[in-house]
Amino acid sequence: MKFVDEAVIDIAAGNGGAGCMSFRREKCIPFGGPNGGNGGKGGSVWFIADRNLNTLIDYRYNRRHEARNGEAGRGSDQFGAAADDILLRVPVGTMIKDFETDQILAELIEPDVPVLLCKGGDGGFGNLHFKTSTNRAPRQKTPGWPGEQKKVRLELRVLADVGLLGMPNAGKSTLITAISNARPKIADYPFTTLHPNLGVVRVAPEKSFVVADIPGLIEGAAEGAGLGHQFLRHLQRTRLLLHVIDAAPVSDSIDPVKEARALAKELEKYDAELAAKPRWLVLNKLDMVPADERAARCKDIVKRLKWKGPVFEISALAREGLQPMLHAIYEHVRAQVEQPAPPVDPRFEAPAAPAPAVEETVRPARAAKKVAKVAKSTKADNDEPVDPRFAPIEPEADEAPAPPAPVRRRTRAA
């Protein structure tokens, strides 16, 4: 199947049905009253991501998608039927943009989650809707509301954790073949890869990540040289870029360092955010370099590039040096993936026990002294009079204390 990662389509929701103006006219029933029903709602346009799709070829030739209009209302209290919605299925990772303003309308990353793009128009009201106690024979009705219409651009951006970046014939397709079950076309001429390829790399049981291989870039891709840089959009969702360099070029006139710098400039021309992503250096085809010259050649390339990041020396064809690189990639990807906390079931969550109330027992005499002390300190600090309602009550000096109440004793009757 041909790989298509971009399409422009027109979508239109259905219009709402018009309301009906009608009156009940039957024999022996005078003043039957209004019985015109409302119109039906127009169909809406929804998009949903389908994990079984991997291309937008279905929308390359079928570029007009319209929902049906709602039915008009009729007499005898008959309301118009609502039209069915249409559901457009696209691959996971599709971005929907407005064609005129280039505004992002939706980004379908999660599968089987519908997204509304064009809402259908509501149906109009019949004269039955306007009947009141004072307006018993209304003669007004409303037409249906029009549905939304848009011209959108569909862009597919593959969901991958790692992206392979490099010049043509750098060994990217051989590398993704060696580390995954992907089988892209491999040949001895440039631009063998014409569309992105995805591969799942399994480092260990329940430990894996996704790699994306895109067509090679050359100097001047921003101006349209080669295949251009239209496939770089598939790397914008990756967490890591592997810059594959051919350490054993077929000609002495080819300088790997010069090509690596040219590719870095093309990244900056396309998107500064993409150029700022973490990028690791992978020196490939070392099996074609004599064993006694490998270390010196790799050191020379790294020194001339002034590279400060991780460097891996591999041979994709001979399967040499792949395992350390794959384990390092997996640890880097896992560190960037946010691990959400598992939801707690409220049925098994123990309720928090209320804290026991501590009652402080204070003697009345101590309480009076404490209140008097606080009142004096407040008056000294703020220089404001104390409210007499809250001042402590001091016993007068002349007033004698009240005698204790007599104790009654029960005597045994004679």
Side-chain angles (χ1 to χ4, degrees):
M1 181 182 294
K2 184 179 179 181
F3 181 81
V4 178
D5 60 350
E6 187 176 2
V8 178
I9 62 174
D10 295 324
I11 54 177
N15 301 327
C20 175
M21 187 186 67
S22 173
F23 292 92
R24 183 181 181 185
R25 302 180 183 276
E26 296 182 16
K27 184 179 179 181
C28 303
I29 301 179
F31 306 106
N35 64 353
N38 301 338
K41 182 179 179 296
S44 302
V45 180
W46 296 76
F47 279 83
I48 189 171
D50 191 348
R51 57 169 56 95
N52 297 321
L53 300 178
N54 55 10
T55 178
L56 295 173
I57 193 172
D58 296 336
Y59 302 97
R60 173 60 64 90
Y61 307 105
N62 187 10
R63 299 192 175 186
R64 180 71 180 177
H65 300 270
E66 297 181 359
R68 292 182 176 274
N69 300 331
E71 291 186 1
R74 295 182 293 271
S76 302
D77 300 338
Q78 298 181 17
F79 285 45
D84 296 331
D85 299 340
I86 60 174
L87 192 63
L88 304 180
R89 297 184 176 273
V90 294
V92 178
T94 302
M95 182 177 294
I96 305 175
K97 297 183 178 180
D98 189 273
F99 182 76
E100 298 178 355
T101 63
D102 206 32
Q103 178 186 1
I104 298 177
L105 303 178
E107 194 169 0
L108 304 177
I109 298 178
E110 298 182 6
D112 302 329
V113 178
V115 177
L116 178 63
L117 259 293
C118 286
K119 183 179 179 298
D122 295 328
F125 296 129
N127 62 342
L128 179 62
H129 175 82
F130 300 98
K131 183 181 69 172
T132 62
S133 59
T134 57
N135 188 12
R136 299 183 179 182
R139 293 183 176 274
Q140 61 262 39
K141 63 177 181 179
T142 59
W145 275 257
E148 298 179 352
Q149 297 185 9
K150 293 178 182 178
K151 187 175 184 179
V152 297
R153 181 191 303 275
L154 306 180
E155 293 184 3
L156 175 59
R157 297 182 181 180
V158 296
L159 299 179
D161 301 313
V162 182
L164 300 182
L165 195 64
M167 290 286 179
N169 280 5
K172 301 184 299 299
S173 299
T174 305
L175 177 58
I176 194 174
T177 303
I179 62 179
S180 69
N181 289 331
R183 294 295 179 264
K185 184 179 180 180
I186 301 176
D188 58 350
Y189 55 87
F191 299 108
T192 308
T193 303
L194 299 178
H195 57 81
N197 297 294
L198 292 180
V200 179
V201 180
R202 301 191 182 279
V203 181
E206 299 183 359
K207 293 183 179 180
S208 62
F209 57 89
V210 182
V211 177
D213 173 28
I214 66 169
L217 293 177
I218 63 175
E219 187 175 1
E223 287 77 22
L227 295 179
H229 54 28
Q230 58 178 345
F231 294 104
L232 284 177
R233 75 164 70 99
H234 298 285
L235 302 180
Q236 291 183 336
R237 290 197 178 106
T238 59
R239 298 183 175 91
L240 177 65
L241 299 178
L242 295 183
H243 190 164
V244 183
I245 295 180
D246 185 0
V250 294
S251 175
D252 296 337
S253 60
I254 300 176
D255 187 5
V257 177
K258 182 180 178 181
E259 291 183 345
R261 291 174 179 170
L263 193 144
K265 291 181 180 179
E266 294 297 329
L267 282 181
E268 295 178 355
K269 290 181 181 179
Y270 178 76
D271 187 6
E273 185 178 353
L274 179 61
K277 284 182 176 291
R279 187 155 48 100
W280 292 0
L281 202 63
V282 179
L283 303 179
N284 193 17
K285 300 185 180 181
L286 289 180
D287 57 322
M288 302 179 62
V289 181
D292 55 347
E293 299 180 7
R294 293 180 183 179
R297 181 170 297 190
C298 294
K299 185 177 180 180
D300 178 66
I301 294 176
V302 174
K303 182 178 179 181
R304 292 172 58 192
L305 279 175
K306 299 179 181 180
W307 190 263
K308 303 298 181 182
V311 181
F312 296 94
E313 303 171 5
I314 68 167
S315 173
L317 184 62
R319 279 31 174 202
E320 297 178 359
L322 297 180
Q323 291 303 321
M325 181 185 68
L326 297 181
H327 284 284
I329 293 174
Y330 176 76
E331 295 298 332
H332 178 82
V333 172
R334 188 183 66 171
Q336 292 191 356
V337 175
E338 298 180 359
Q339 299 292 341
V344 180
D345 195 336
R347 297 174 298 174
F348 304 103
E349 185 178 4
V358 180
E359 297 182 359
E360 183 180 0
T361 58
V362 184
R363 297 181 180 179
R366 291 185 179 179
K369 290 181 180 180
K370 191 173 182 180
V371 173
K373 185 177 180 181
V374 172
K376 290 180 180 180
S377 61
T378 306
K379 184 176 181 180
D381 295 340
N382 302 336
D383 198 16
E384 296 180 357
V386 181
D387 196 336
R389 296 176 297 174
F390 304 102
I393 302 176
E394 299 179 358
E396 298 180 1
D398 300 339
E399 184 177 355
V407 181
R408 297 182 179 181
R409 297 182 179 179
R410 297 178 62 184
T411 59
R412 182 177 298 177

PDB file of all heavy atoms in Angstrom, residues 364-377:
ATOM      1  N   PRO A 364     -10.161  28.108  87.720  1.00  0.00           N
ATOM      2  CA  PRO A 364     -10.727  29.460  87.545  1.00  0.00           C
ATOM      3  C   PRO A 364      -9.755  30.554  87.980  1.00  0.00           C
ATOM      4  O   PRO A 364      -9.676  31.600  87.337  1.00  0.00           O
ATOM      5  CB  PRO A 364     -11.982  29.429  88.422  1.00  0.00           C
ATOM      6  CG  PRO A 364     -12.320  27.973  88.559  1.00  0.00           C
ATOM      7  CD  PRO A 364     -11.024  27.242  88.530  1.00  0.00           C
ATOM      8  N   ALA A 365      -9.002  30.344  89.048  1.00  0.00           N
ATOM      9  CA  ALA A 365      -8.086  31.392  89.506  1.00  0.00           C
ATOM     10  C   ALA A 365      -6.975  31.629  88.496  1.00  0.00           C
ATOM     11  O   ALA A 365      -6.623  32.761  88.178  1.00  0.00           O
ATOM     12  CB  ALA A 365      -7.503  31.002  90.875  1.00  0.00           C
ATOM     13  N   ARG A 366      -6.441  30.542  87.949  1.00  0.00           N
ATOM     14  CA  ARG A 366      -5.389  30.707  86.953  1.00  0.00           C
ATOM     15  C   ARG A 366      -5.922  31.334  85.672  1.00  0.00           C
ATOM     16  O   ARG A 366      -5.244  32.126  85.021  1.00  0.00           O
ATOM     17  CB  ARG A 366      -4.780  29.346  86.648  1.00  0.00           C
ATOM     18  CG  ARG A 366      -3.969  28.765  87.813  1.00  0.00           C
ATOM     19  CD  ARG A 366      -3.303  27.487  87.392  1.00  0.00           C
ATOM     20  NE  ARG A 366      -2.511  26.924  88.482  1.00  0.00           N
ATOM     21  CZ  ARG A 366      -1.819  25.778  88.390  1.00  0.00           C
ATOM     22  NH1 ARG A 366      -1.852  25.108  87.241  1.00  0.00           N
ATOM     23  NH2 ARG A 366      -1.109  25.340  89.429  1.00  0.00           N
ATOM     24  N   ALA A 367      -7.152  30.986  85.340  1.00  0.00           N
ATOM     25  CA  ALA A 367      -7.747  31.589  84.139  1.00  0.00           C
ATOM     26  C   ALA A 367      -7.922  33.086  84.304  1.00  0.00           C
ATOM     27  O   ALA A 367      -7.682  33.865  83.380  1.00  0.00           O
ATOM     28  CB  ALA A 367      -9.092  30.932  83.836  1.00  0.00           C
ATOM     29  N   ALA A 368      -8.326  33.533  85.486  1.00  0.00           N
ATOM     30  CA  ALA A 368      -8.496  34.975  85.717  1.00  0.00           C
ATOM     31  C   ALA A 368      -7.165  35.702  85.644  1.00  0.00           C
ATOM     32  O   ALA A 368      -7.060  36.783  85.059  1.00  0.00           O
ATOM     33  CB  ALA A 368      -9.160  35.194  87.069  1.00  0.00           C
ATOM     34  N   LYS A 369      -6.110  35.114  86.244  1.00  0.00           N
ATOM     35  CA  LYS A 369      -4.797  35.752  86.177  1.00  0.00           C
ATOM     36  C   LYS A 369      -4.290  35.815  84.745  1.00  0.00           C
ATOM     37  O   LYS A 369      -3.693  36.798  84.311  1.00  0.00           O
ATOM     38  CB  LYS A 369      -3.813  34.969  87.038  1.00  0.00           C
ATOM     39  CG  LYS A 369      -4.081  35.099  88.536  1.00  0.00           C
ATOM     40  CD  LYS A 369      -3.049  34.318  89.323  1.00  0.00           C
ATOM     41  CE  LYS A 369      -3.304  34.430  90.839  1.00  0.00           C
ATOM     42  NZ  LYS A 369      -2.298  33.677  91.616  1.00  0.00           N
ATOM     43  N   LYS A 370      -4.538  34.729  83.945  1.00  0.00           N
ATOM     44  CA  LYS A 370      -4.079  34.717  82.563  1.00  0.00           C
ATOM     45  C   LYS A 370      -4.774  35.771  81.719  1.00  0.00           C
ATOM     46  O   LYS A 370      -4.157  36.471  80.924  1.00  0.00           O
ATOM     47  CB  LYS A 370      -4.337  33.326  81.958  1.00  0.00           C
ATOM     48  CG  LYS A 370      -3.671  33.107  80.628  1.00  0.00           C
ATOM     49  CD  LYS A 370      -3.847  31.663  80.190  1.00  0.00           C
ATOM     50  CE  LYS A 370      -3.131  31.451  78.874  1.00  0.00           C
ATOM     51  NZ  LYS A 370      -3.280  30.036  78.411  1.00  0.00           N
ATOM     52  N   VAL A 371      -6.083  35.931  81.947  1.00  0.00           N
ATOM     53  CA  VAL A 371      -6.830  36.948  81.200  1.00  0.00           C
ATOM     54  C   VAL A 371      -6.351  38.341  81.565  1.00  0.00           C
ATOM     55  O   VAL A 371      -6.191  39.231  80.722  1.00  0.00           O
ATOM     56  CB  VAL A 371      -8.343  36.789  81.461  1.00  0.00           C
ATOM     57  CG1 VAL A 371      -9.118  37.952  80.839  1.00  0.00           C
ATOM     58  CG2 VAL A 371      -8.829  35.474  80.883  1.00  0.00           C
ATOM     59  N   ALA A 372      -6.065  38.575  82.838  1.00  0.00           N
ATOM     60  CA  ALA A 372      -5.586  39.884  83.258  1.00  0.00           C
ATOM     61  C   ALA A 372      -4.216  40.188  82.678  1.00  0.00           C
ATOM     62  O   ALA A 372      -3.940  41.306  82.241  1.00  0.00           O
ATOM     63  CB  ALA A 372      -5.538  39.948  84.797  1.00  0.00           C
ATOM     64  N   LYS A 373      -3.367  39.158  82.590  1.00  0.00           N
ATOM     65  CA  LYS A 373      -2.035  39.366  82.036  1.00  0.00           C
ATOM     66  C   LYS A 373      -2.105  39.688  80.549  1.00  0.00           C
ATOM     67  O   LYS A 373      -1.407  40.568  80.048  1.00  0.00           O
ATOM     68  CB  LYS A 373      -1.198  38.107  82.262  1.00  0.00           C
ATOM     69  CG  LYS A 373       0.246  38.258  81.842  1.00  0.00           C
ATOM     70  CD  LYS A 373       1.011  36.993  82.182  1.00  0.00           C
ATOM     71  CE  LYS A 373       2.474  37.136  81.754  1.00  0.00           C
ATOM     72  NZ  LYS A 373       3.248  35.906  82.061  1.00  0.00           N
ATOM     73  N   VAL A 374      -2.957  38.983  79.842  1.00  0.00           N
ATOM     74  CA  VAL A 374      -3.115  39.249  78.402  1.00  0.00           C
ATOM     75  C   VAL A 374      -3.687  40.632  78.172  1.00  0.00           C
ATOM     76  O   VAL A 374      -3.286  41.369  77.265  1.00  0.00           O
ATOM     77  CB  VAL A 374      -4.009  38.171  77.756  1.00  0.00           C
ATOM     78  CG1 VAL A 374      -4.340  38.536  76.315  1.00  0.00           C
ATOM     79  CG2 VAL A 374      -3.321  36.820  77.829  1.00  0.00           C
ATOM     80  N   ALA A 375      -4.633  41.036  79.006  1.00  0.00           N
ATOM     81  CA  ALA A 375      -5.237  42.362  78.854  1.00  0.00           C
ATOM     82  C   ALA A 375      -4.215  43.450  79.090  1.00  0.00           C
ATOM     83  O   ALA A 375      -4.170  44.453  78.381  1.00  0.00           O
ATOM     84  CB  ALA A 375      -6.409  42.499  79.828  1.00  0.00           C
ATOM     85  N   LYS A 376      -3.350  43.285  80.103  1.00  0.00           N
ATOM     86  CA  LYS A 376      -2.323  44.300  80.383  1.00  0.00           C
ATOM     87  C   LYS A 376      -1.316  44.395  79.245  1.00  0.00           C
ATOM     88  O   LYS A 376      -0.929  45.483  78.833  1.00  0.00           O
ATOM     89  CB  LYS A 376      -1.621  43.970  81.688  1.00  0.00           C
ATOM     90  CG  LYS A 376      -2.494  44.175  82.918  1.00  0.00           C
ATOM     91  CD  LYS A 376      -1.721  43.836  84.168  1.00  0.00           C
ATOM     92  CE  LYS A 376      -2.598  44.030  85.430  1.00  0.00           C
ATOM     93  NZ  LYS A 376      -1.850  43.697  86.659  1.00  0.00           N
ATOM     94  N   SER A 377      -0.878  43.219  78.714  1.00  0.00           N
ATOM     95  CA  SER A 377       0.102  43.244  77.620  1.00  0.00           C
ATOM     96  C   SER A 377      -0.497  43.845  76.356  1.00  0.00           C
ATOM     97  O   SER A 377       0.155  44.593  75.634  1.00  0.00           O
ATOM     98  CB  SER A 377       0.600  41.826  77.322  1.00  0.00           C
ATOM     99  OG  SER A 377      -0.480  41.009  76.912  1.00  0.00           O
TER     100      SER A 377
END
